[in-house]
C-alpha cells in the first residue's frame, strides 16, 4: 500500500499540479496522440478532466476513507485502466490516489472510522456459527427417542429452533449482509433444504408406486449441512480478509482479479473438504429406520451446501440477481422431477418419468438433487470468479467481521 500511495501521489503531483511544459497538450511539435490531443485541448480550454470526474463522483469521493474505496467505486461505475489512461494515469488505482489527495486538500478529510475489535466480534459470530449445528443435533437426537405426538412436537420445535439459530448466525459475521434478499430466494432455499430432508424418500417411494404412508426423513445429510454452517462462516471470513489484503497490496484492477481468483477457489475447495468430512461423519451416525442412506443422498447434500455458500457470498456483496435465478432454477428442476414421477401415473403419460427413473435406477434417487444442485453450483462458481474478483465487490467492509 505504501508503494501504491507513493506512486499514486506522484501521479497526482504530475497531473494535477505538474509543470505545464510536460503537458502533451502544450507540445509545440504536435506529436501527441489522439487521446493526448483531446486532453490537451481540454487543458487549454481551462477544463480539468480529473476535476470533472471528481464532480461526477462527488459523493463517492466525499465519503471515501481511503483511495481504495474510490478505486473500487470507479470500477463499479465502469471505469477501467484504459479509461484511466485518458486521465494520464496508468491504472484506476493511481487515478483514485489523485482524486483522494485532491479531496483531502480541498476539504477537511472525513474522520476514519475506528477499527473494530476483532477479538470480541470474532468470538460473537464464531459461537453463533455453531448454533445451527448444535440445535439440529439436539433435534435429531430427540427424534430418535420419541414416537407419536411427542415426536411431531420435537420435529416442529426443532425446525423452528434451527431456523432461528441459522438466522442468528447469518445476521452477524462475514456472511451477514445489508442487501435485501428476495422472497423468491428465501422460498427456494427453504424448498431445497426441505427436499434434502424429505425429497429423496418421496422420490423413491413415488417410483415404487407409493407413498402409502409417512416416509422417514433423511436427517443425516441435513445435520451435516447444519454443522457446515461453522466452516462456511470461517471460509467466508478467510476470503473476505484475504481479498481486503490483496486489495491493499494491488496496483491495478487486473492484478487484483488475478490474485483473488486463486483465493476464491482455494477457500471454496476448503469448504468442500470440510463439508465432505462432516457428511462422512454423519453417515456413520444412526439414521432413521428405512430412510434412504445411499451415496447419492450425501452427494446431493454436498452439492447443495456448495450452492448455498456461493449464493450467500454473492448476496453479501450485492450480487443478488444471479443467486435468485440459479436457486429458483434448481428448485424448479427438483419440483419438476417429483411432478413427473406422479404425473406418469396418468393414462398415456408414463414416458414423462423416464429421465428421472433412468437416473434413479442407475445411481439412486439422490442423484437427482446431486446433478441439479451440482450444475447450479458450477454456474454460480463461474459467475463468482467474474464478480467476486472485482475490486468493487470488496469496496466496503460490510461483510468483514
Amino acid at each position: 500500500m505504501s508503494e501504491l500511495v507513493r506512486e499514486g501521489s506522484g501521479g497526482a503531483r504530475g497531473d494535477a499540479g505538474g509543470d505545464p511544459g510536460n503537458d502533451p497538450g502544450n507540445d509545440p511539435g504536435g506529436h501527441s496522440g489522439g487521446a493526448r490531443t483531446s486532453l490537451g485541448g481540454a487543458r487549454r480550454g481551462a477544463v480539468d478532466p480529473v476535476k470533472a470526474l471528481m464532480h461526477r463522483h462527488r459523493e463517492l469521493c466525499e465519503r471515501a476513507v481511503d483511495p481504495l474505496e474510490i478505486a473500487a467505486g470507479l470500477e463499479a461505475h465502469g471505469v477501467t485502466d484504459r479509461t484511466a489512461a485518458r486521465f494520464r494515469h496508468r491504472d484506476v488505482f493511481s487515478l483514485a490516489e489523485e482524486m483522494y489527495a485532491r479531496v483531502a486538500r480541498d476539504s477537511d478529510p472525513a474522520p476514519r472510522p475506528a477499527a473494530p475489535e476483532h477479538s470480541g466480534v470474532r468470538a460473537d459470530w464464531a459461537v453463533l456459527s455453531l448454533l445451527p449445528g448444535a440445535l439440529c443435533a439436539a433435534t435429531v437426537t430427540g427424534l430418535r427417542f420419541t414416537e407419536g405426538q411427542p415426536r411431531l412436537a420435537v420435529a416442529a420445535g426443532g425446525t423452528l429452533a434451527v431456523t432461528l439459530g441459522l438466522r442468528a448466525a447469518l445476521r452477524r459475521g462475514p456472511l451477514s449482509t445489508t442487501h435485501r434478499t428476495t422472497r423468491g430466494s428465501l422460498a427456494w432455499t427453504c424448498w431445497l433444504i426441505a427436499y434434502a430432508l424429505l425429497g429423496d424418500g418421496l422420490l423413491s417411494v413415488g417410483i415404487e408406486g407409493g407413498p402409502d404412508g409417512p416416509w422417514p426423513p433423511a436427517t443425516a445429510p441435513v445435520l451435516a449441512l447444519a454443522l457446515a454452517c461453522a466452516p462456511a462462516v470461517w471460509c467466508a471470513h478467510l476470503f473476505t480478509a484475504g481479498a481486503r489484503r490483496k486489495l491493499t497490496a494491488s496496483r491495478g484492477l487486473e492484478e487484483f482479479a488475478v490474485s483473488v481468483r486463486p483465493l476464491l477457489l482455494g477457500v471454496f475447495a476448503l469448504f468442500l473438504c470440510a463439508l465432505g468430512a462432516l457428511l462422512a461423519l454423519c453417515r456413520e451416525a444412526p439414521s432413521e429406520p428405512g430412510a434412504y442412506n445411499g451415496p447419492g443422498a450425501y452427494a446431493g447434500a454436498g452439492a447443495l451446501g456448495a450452492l448455498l455458500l456461493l449464493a450467500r457470498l454473492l448476496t453479501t456483496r450485492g450480487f443478488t440477481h444471479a443467486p435468485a435465478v440459479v436457486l429458483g432454477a434448481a428448485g424448479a428442476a427438483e419440483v419438476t422431477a417429483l411432478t413427473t414421477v406422479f404425473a406418469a401415473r396418468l393414462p398415456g403419460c408414463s414416458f414423462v418419468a423416464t429421465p428421472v427413473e433412468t437416473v434413479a435406477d442407475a445411481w439412486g434417487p439422490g442423484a437427482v438433487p446431486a446433478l441439479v444442485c451440482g450444475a447450479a453450483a458450477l454456474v454460480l462458481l463461474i459467475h463468482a470468479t467474474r464478480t467476486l474478483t472485482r475490486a468493487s465487490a470488496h469496496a466496503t467492509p460490510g461483510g468483514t467481521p
Side-chain angles (χ1 to χ4, degrees), residues 266-368:
V267 166
F268 181 66
L270 179 62
F271 171 75
L272 290 183
C273 292
L275 178 57
L278 290 172
L279 287 169
L281 181 64
C282 291
R283 188 179 183 185
E284 299 301 323
S287 59
E288 291 290 319
Y292 175 69
N293 199 37
Y298 297 90
L304 176 58
L307 173 61
L308 294 180
L309 174 66
L310 291 171
R312 189 66 184 182
L313 284 177
L314 288 166
T315 300
T316 57
R317 285 156 180 83
F319 304 104
T320 58
H321 179 69
V325 172
V326 174
L327 289 173
E334 291 183 347
V335 170
T336 303
L338 285 175
T339 302
T340 57
V341 169
F342 292 97
R345 301 177 183 181
L346 298 175
C349 297
S350 59
F351 66 93
V352 299
T354 300
V356 176
E357 291 178 350
T358 302
V359 172
D361 291 341
W363 300 296
V368 173

Side-chain angles (χ1 to χ4, degrees), residues 17-382:
D19 186 359
N22 295 329
D23 190 340
N26 296 330
D27 185 2
H31 297 296
S32 58
R36 291 174 176 262
T37 301
S38 175
L39 186 57
R43 294 285 188 181
R44 287 193 296 271
V47 176
D48 185 347
V50 177
K51 186 174 182 179
L53 184 66
M54 292 174 61
H55 178 74
R56 194 178 313 144
H57 301 283
R58 180 177 59 184
E59 183 180 352
L60 171 65
C61 295
E62 290 177 350
R63 72 167 185 263
V65 297
D66 56 34
L68 298 178
E69 290 195 20
I70 297 180
L74 292 176
E75 187 212 26
H77 285 87
V79 179
T80 63
D81 291 341
R82 180 175 296 181
T83 308
R86 294 163 48 195
F87 297 91
R88 299 182 181 179
H89 285 274
R90 68 181 183 281
D91 51 44
V92 175
F93 280 51
S94 177
L95 175 60
E97 288 286 353
E98 177 182 348
M99 295 173 67
Y100 182 76
R102 293 174 68 167
V103 169
R105 288 198 304 266
D106 295 341
S107 61
D108 294 331
R112 207 172 184 85
E117 297 181 5
H118 290 289
S119 57
V121 176
R122 283 180 180 174
D124 184 14
W125 57 255
V127 172
L128 289 176
S129 67
L130 299 172
L131 194 57
L135 293 173
C136 188
T139 302
V140 171
T141 303
L143 291 175
R144 291 287 296 169
F145 295 99
T146 54
E147 295 291 343
Q149 292 295 330
R151 181 183 176 86
L152 293 177
V154 169
T159 301
L160 179 60
V162 172
T163 302
L164 294 177
L166 182 61
R167 182 182 180 185
L170 296 181
R171 290 176 66 91
R172 299 293 299 271
L175 287 182
S176 62
T177 179
T178 57
H179 303 283
R180 187 178 183 85
T181 305
T182 63
R183 293 183 179 180
S185 296
L186 292 175
W188 285 119
T189 299
C190 293
W191 163 259
L192 291 170
I193 296 174
Y195 188 97
L197 181 65
L198 300 169
D200 290 343
L202 179 59
L203 185 64
S204 179
V205 298
I207 292 176
E208 296 173 357
D212 299 323
W215 64 95
T219 55
V222 175
L223 174 59
L225 287 175
L227 293 172
C229 181
V233 169
W234 278 101
C235 287
H237 168 66
L238 291 177
F239 175 66
T240 301
R244 293 291 294 179
R245 287 195 299 268
K246 291 183 181 297
L247 181 62
T248 304
S250 297
R251 299 196 299 186
L253 299 179
E254 185 62 28
E255 176 185 344
F256 174 74
V258 170
S259 64
V260 169
R261 192 169 292 113
L263 174 65
L264 173 62
L265 296 177
V267 166
F268 181 66
L270 179 62
F271 171 75
L272 290 183
C273 292
L275 178 57
L278 290 172
L279 287 169
L281 181 64
C282 291
R283 188 179 183 185
E284 299 301 323
S287 59
E288 291 290 319
Y292 175 69
N293 199 37
Y298 297 90
L304 176 58
L307 173 61
L308 294 180
L309 174 66
L310 291 171
R312 189 66 184 182
L313 284 177
L314 288 166
T315 300
T316 57
R317 285 156 180 83
F319 304 104
T320 58
H321 179 69
V325 172
V326 174
L327 289 173
E334 291 183 347
V335 170
T336 303
L338 285 175
T339 302
T340 57
V341 169
F342 292 97
R345 301 177 183 181
L346 298 175
C349 297
S350 59
F351 66 93
V352 299
T354 300
V356 176
E357 291 178 350
T358 302
V359 172
D361 291 341
W363 300 296
V368 173
L371 292 174
V372 169
C373 294
L378 180 60
V379 171
L380 275 192
L381 180 61
I382 296 174

